[in-house]
Structure formats: structure tokens, C-alpha cells
């Protein structure tokens, strides 16, 4: 741990690495991992639970008065009334993990009075550690990172998430992805939203968009992106409450503005007047407690 880092960030890093060690051990024999299904195409494993326990135990040992908001255990641990709440996804990209596809991560954020102040996204397969403290910048393995410098959407590489649950508005997703694909250099679907946001922060991709996301999907990534000089909000470009909107757009500032022009008509927050015959195609969000990228 670094003495120059905020002490709460150091604890989060220790928690993320403890979870990563559990994940890496399980990855050596992934076929032996017990898997259950929360709903169609939405899986949880014993590794999710074990890594979440490791994260929570590490955090509450250091800060027993803090609150917890975790994907698998919800708010059952920690202090319910605390201003300090740790938002945790112990294994973002579970479907990737159970197939041996090495794109998944641990995501930990600390929100103080509703605002994210500390962030860690840890990729155990690459030993990549993304960190941020509000006002101090974003880092990858202790090296300062910035969003990309690309200014034109046709040159941009953009990541997204696909719908995978029964009842998701797949036809509208196809239209939205078609609009983006025709205007960019490429569209990718890695399958772990927290890592997608970290990659925007590092400039590996130029933008990211998805709907149906939960606070644990975006909490850490939102601070990484903004501390790296990027913008994050909904499809109309408004920042608002990033943790609760469910609709996420992140990019460097120039690409962000251009993606808003493409995606605005799909936003459930868009109140822009329409010309006669112009269609607005909002994407419906499923009202579940699960992450859209829990897969």
C-alpha cells in the first residue's frame, strides 16, 4: 500500500486484492465452481459470494461504522444510517468468468453523503488496478491516466452492453447499436460495465453506453472517468444522480457531445420537443435488483 494514497483508498485496494486472489484461485478450475441462476441468463457463483465476503470483512474491520451496499448481500451488512457507504460488485462479469473468458473485475467505491469519493476497479486476470480519489486524479497501477484525445466520432472505439434478459427491449437496443455502429470506428461488448468505464478513463476506448445498470456497476467507474477528464451522464448528456439513473453514457468530452446527439432519442429522460413524425424510442428498464451487466 502507498503512504501517499488516501487511507480509505488503501483499505479498498486491500479488499479488492483479497477478492481478486479468491477469483484467481477459482479460475484455475472454473468447472468446479458451483453456479446458480438468479434469473434467465443471470448467474451467481460461490466465487461471487466468497469475494464479496472478503471485501466486506476487510472494509468493516477497518471502518465498522460504515454502511455497505453490495450486489449479492444488499444492505444487510454494516451501519444502515452511515454517511459513508461502500458500494461493491465483487465479480462484475460473472458470465465471462464461468466460461473462462478473462474479462471481469472487482469494483469498490466509497460514497460519502451520496457522492463517490474513492474508487477501485481491479482486474485480477491482468493484475490491473484502477484507482481514484476525488480531486486527485485517476490512476492505473500508480500511473496517471487520462481519457483519449480523439475528437471525431467516426474515429472512436465505443463499448456497450447488450440486453440478455427476458423482457428486455431488444429491438430498440438493435436500433440504438445500429445507429452507433454506423457512426464509429467500432463497437465492443466486453461484458463487465465497471471495467468498461475504467477503460474509458484510461483512454483504451473513447466512450461507453448502456442502460439497466445498477449503482454497483457504475459507482467506481464514474469517479475514474471524471477524474481522468471525461464526462458521464445519461443519454441526454445530463449528469444528475449517476448512481440511480440506470442509463449511462461516458466518454471524453468531444466524443461525449457527439454520442449525445445519437443517443438522446433513446433516453427515457429526453423531453426535447419532436418535429411531426419524428419518433422517440425510449428503452424500457427492467425493475429488478440485478445488474444489467451481472452477466
Amino acid at each position: 500500500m502507498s503512504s501517499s494514497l488516501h487511507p480509505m483508498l488503501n483499505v479498498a485496494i486491500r479488499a479488492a486484492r483479497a477478492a481478486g486472489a479468491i477469483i484467481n484461485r477459482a479460475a484455475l478450475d472454473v468447472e468446479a465452481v458451483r453456479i446458480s441462476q438468479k434469473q434467465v441468463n443471470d448467474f451467481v457463483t460461490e466465487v461471487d459470494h466468497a469475494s464479496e465476503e472478503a471485501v466486506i470483512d476487510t472494509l468493516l474491520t477497518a471502518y465498522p461504522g460504515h454502511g455497505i451496499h453490495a450486489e449479492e448481500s444488499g444492505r444487510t451488512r454494516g451501519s444502515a444510517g452511515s454517511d459513508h457507504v461502500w458500494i461493491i460488485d465483487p465479480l462484475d462479469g460473472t458470465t465471462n468468468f464461468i466460461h473462462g473468458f478473462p474479462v471481469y473485475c472487482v469494483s469498490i467505491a466509497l460514497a460519502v453523503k451520496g457522492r463517490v469519493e474513492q474508487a477501485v476497479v481491479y482486474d485480477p486476470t491482468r493484475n490491473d488496478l484502477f484507482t481514484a480519489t476525488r480531486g486527485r486524479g485517476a490512476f492505473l497501477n500508480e500511473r496517471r491516466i487520462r481519457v483519449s484525445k480523439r475528437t471525431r466520432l467516426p474515429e472512436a472505439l465505443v463499448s456497450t452492453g447488450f440486453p440478455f434478459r427476458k423482457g428486455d427491449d431488444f429491438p430498440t437496443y438493435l436500433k440504438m447499436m445500429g445507429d452507433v455502429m454506423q457512426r464509429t470506428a467500432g463497437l465492443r461488448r466486453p461484458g463487465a460495465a465497471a471495467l468498461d468505464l475504467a477503460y474509458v478513463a484510461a483512454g483504451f476506448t473513447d466512450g461507453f453506453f448502456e442502460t439497466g445498470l445498477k449503482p454497483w456497476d457504475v459507482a467506481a467507474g464514474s469517479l475514474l472517468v471524471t477524474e481522468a477528464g471525461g464526462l458521464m451522464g445519461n443519454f441526454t448528456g445530463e449528469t444528475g444522480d449517476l448512481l440511480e439513473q440506470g442509463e449511462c453514457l461516458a466518454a471524453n468530452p468531444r466524443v461525449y457531445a457527439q454520442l449525445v446527439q445519437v443517443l438522446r432519442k433513446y433516453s427515457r429522460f429526453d423531453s426535447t420537443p419532436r418535429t411531426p413524425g419524428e419518433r422517440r424510442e425510449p428503452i424500457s428498464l427492467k425493475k429488478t435488483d440485478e445488474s444489467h451487466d451481472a452477466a
Side-chain angles (χ1 to χ4, degrees):
M1 301 300 140
S2 172
S3 59
S4 64
L5 298 179
H6 191 286
M8 292 182 184
L9 184 62
N10 268 327
V11 171
I13 291 170
R14 188 163 70 245
R17 290 196 182 277
I22 292 170
I23 293 167
N24 279 341
R25 284 196 299 271
L28 296 175
D29 189 11
V30 72
E31 291 185 0
V33 173
R34 289 193 300 272
I35 302 166
S36 57
Q37 197 165 2
K38 292 189 275 191
Q39 55 181 308
V40 175
N41 292 336
D42 193 1
F43 304 98
V44 62
T45 72
E46 59 185 330
V47 180
D48 293 77
H49 292 295
S51 56
E52 185 169 288
E53 282 297 307
V55 170
I56 293 173
D57 288 347
T58 301
L59 297 176
L60 291 184
T61 296
Y63 302 106
H66 285 191
I68 298 292
H69 186 189
E71 179 178 8
E72 306 306 336
S73 60
R75 300 177 184 269
T76 60
R77 302 281 301 276
S79 175
S82 178
D83 287 337
H84 292 71
V85 178
W86 293 96
I87 305 170
I88 303 160
D89 191 338
L91 178 53
D92 188 21
T94 300
T95 298
N96 286 348
F97 171 77
I98 63 179
H99 286 83
F101 189 74
V103 180
Y104 42 82
C105 66
V106 181
S107 177
I108 304 172
L110 175 65
V112 181
K113 296 183 178 180
R115 188 172 80 160
V116 177
E117 299 287 343
Q118 311 291 338
V120 173
V121 171
Y122 179 54
D123 176 353
T125 69
R126 297 171 58 89
N127 196 28
D128 277 344
L129 183 72
F130 298 86
T131 60
T133 294
R134 183 172 294 277
R136 296 189 186 182
F139 296 82
L140 167 56
N141 300 329
E142 299 185 5
R143 177 181 59 84
R144 185 74 177 262
I145 54 176
R146 300 287 295 178
V147 293
S148 74
K149 296 180 180 179
R150 289 185 181 85
T151 59
R152 299 183 61 250
L153 192 58
E155 299 171 353
L157 181 65
V158 177
S159 59
T160 188
F162 296 163
F164 59 88
R165 295 194 186 93
K166 182 179 180 180
D168 282 339
D169 190 353
F170 194 66
T172 301
Y173 259 93
L174 288 178
K175 293 177 184 177
M176 179 170 64
M177 289 185 287
D179 277 351
V180 175
M181 289 176 71
Q182 294 177 69
R183 292 170 170 82
T184 59
L187 188 64
R188 300 290 183 267
R189 200 277 189 179
L195 201 54
D196 290 337
L197 290 168
Y199 277 20
V200 172
F204 301 159
T205 59
D206 305 293
F208 166 76
F209 68 94
E210 189 171 355
T211 65
L213 296 174
K214 297 298 178 183
W216 48 80
D217 295 309
V218 300
S222 67
L223 187 62
L224 289 170
V225 169
T226 55
E227 285 295 317
L231 297 174
M232 185 161 163
N234 61 37
F235 294 170
T236 71
E238 299 170 352
T239 55
D241 187 348
L242 296 177
L243 301 186
E244 299 295 344
Q245 293 192 85
E247 190 176 280
C248 176
L249 172 61
N252 75 46
R254 295 290 292 275
V255 170
Y256 186 88
Q258 293 166 75
L259 282 172
V260 165
Q261 297 306 309
V262 177
L263 296 173
R264 176 187 290 273
K265 67 180 180 179
Y266 298 104
S267 176
R268 65 193 182 104
F269 300 100
D270 186 19
S271 58
T272 304
R274 301 290 166 184
T275 58
E278 185 178 3
R279 294 185 63 192
R280 176 188 176 195
E281 301 179 276
I283 291 182
S284 61
L285 300 178
K286 285 184 68 64
K287 295 181 179 179
T288 71
D289 291 330
E290 317 302 344
S291 158
H292 204 80
D293 242 324

